[in-house]
Amino acid sequence: AGSRFPNGSFGYIADPRALKRTINSQGNISQNYFDRITRVSARYRIGSLYGDTILTPDHVCNLAPGRSFEGESGFKLLSEKVSVSNQVKDSPRILCMMYTYRKMRDLARLQALTWGHECDGFLAFSTETIPELGILEILHAGEESYQNMWQKVRSIWAYVHDHYLNDFDYFHLGGDDLYLVVENMRRFLKKIDTENKEKQEALFLGSWAK
């Protein structure tokens, strides 16, 4: 499995921690967080099927709960069914990954800037390379289509095995339309890690596609 540099040449090896550096370079992580995320976000916008809405504090802070993008059902889910874990000490190292493509750059960008940077490493396997956001073009057999997703996933796992196997303890892969509560995953994996410590077995967590 291989990847391309932004100029199209072969042999690119992405830095999974580049996203964290990009965000940290905008200032103190505890100050003006929304402004920092907005500055990074604006640099990488692209027209997509999801429109060209630019998020502002008005969208997020000045509307009543359930009246913004989340809707009533989304607010109910967030407020009644989802709780965020406290910080977990000495949690396993997690590389978070997604599969996407150029037309969905907005989704990949938003994933990176909301929860992606909370992971120890973040990579979005796409059809273009943007090093600052951890987005890289991954080469695979067959065409770039949803029906050929298996070949793309095969290349992703091969690429990760070749370059990052010993740098992280767990690897999470999903699409560009999910939201990951990283704090909760850290707590879950810490528990799994403790239970599996003596066995030292490789683990596959999730469900098989049928």
Side-chain angles (χ1 to χ4, degrees):
S3 180
R4 297 181 194 265
F5 286 88
N7 64 7
S9 59
F10 294 97
Y12 177 69
I13 301 176
D15 180 358
R17 296 176 176 85
L19 174 62
K20 278 184 175 292
R21 287 200 303 275
T22 297
I23 293 179
N24 290 340
S25 69
Q26 299 300 310
N28 191 314
I29 192 75
S30 63
Q31 297 177 345
N32 301 318
Y33 180 73
F34 187 90
D35 291 339
R36 289 163 57 263
I37 292 297
T38 301
R39 286 199 297 272
V40 175
S41 178
R43 293 175 55 193
Y44 301 102
R45 293 199 64 81
I46 185 173
S48 75
L49 297 177
Y50 290 82
D52 197 35
T53 300
I54 299 177
L55 293 179
T56 68
D58 290 339
H59 288 98
V60 179
C61 304
N62 295 343
L63 297 176
R67 302 303 180 187
S68 187
F69 295 109
E70 76 279 5
E72 292 185 10
S73 59
F75 175 73
K76 186 175 182 180
L77 173 66
L78 292 171
S79 60
E80 298 180 11
K81 296 186 178 181
V82 176
S83 59
V84 179
S85 172
N86 295 326
Q87 186 174 1
V88 179
K89 294 182 179 179
D90 301 320
S91 67
R93 301 165 299 171
I94 306 170
L95 175 60
C96 300
M97 306 173 292
M98 74 169 66
Y99 42 83
T100 185
Y101 67 112
R102 186 177 185 274
K103 287 187 177 180
M104 291 295 104
R105 187 201 292 175
D106 274 356
L107 281 183
R109 173 180 52 82
L110 291 173
Q111 302 261 19
L113 299 178
T114 51
W115 59 262
H117 64 91
E118 298 289 347
C119 303
D120 299 290
F122 174 85
L123 294 173
F125 294 88
S126 182
T127 52
E128 62 177 349
T129 297
I130 306 176
E132 300 95 321
L133 295 184
I135 298 175
L136 65 148
E137 180 182 1
I138 186 73
L139 306 178
H140 58 82
E143 62 180 355
E144 180 69 31
S145 71
Y146 189 81
Q147 289 70 29
N148 194 44
M149 184 63 67
W150 168 238
Q151 292 292 354
K152 187 166 189 172
V153 170
R154 281 186 63 197
S155 289
I156 290 172
W157 285 119
Y159 185 87
V160 169
H161 175 274
D162 290 345
H163 300 298
Y164 314 112
L165 182 63
N166 297 318
D167 296 334
F168 300 92
D169 302 305
Y170 289 93
F171 304 85
H172 180 278
L173 177 63
D176 54 21
D177 55 353
L178 61 81
Y179 187 93
L180 187 63
V181 183
V182 179
E183 297 89 341
N184 291 4
M185 184 167 69
R186 286 191 185 282
R187 180 167 294 279
F188 172 73
L189 292 178
K190 175 69 174 179
K191 182 176 182 292
I192 294 294
D193 215 35
T194 301
E195 295 173 350
N196 191 55
K197 189 173 183 179
E198 294 184 1
K199 296 180 181 179
Q200 291 294 310
E201 295 177 343
L203 299 175
F204 177 85
L205 305 172
S207 59
W208 294 101
K210 295 182 179 180

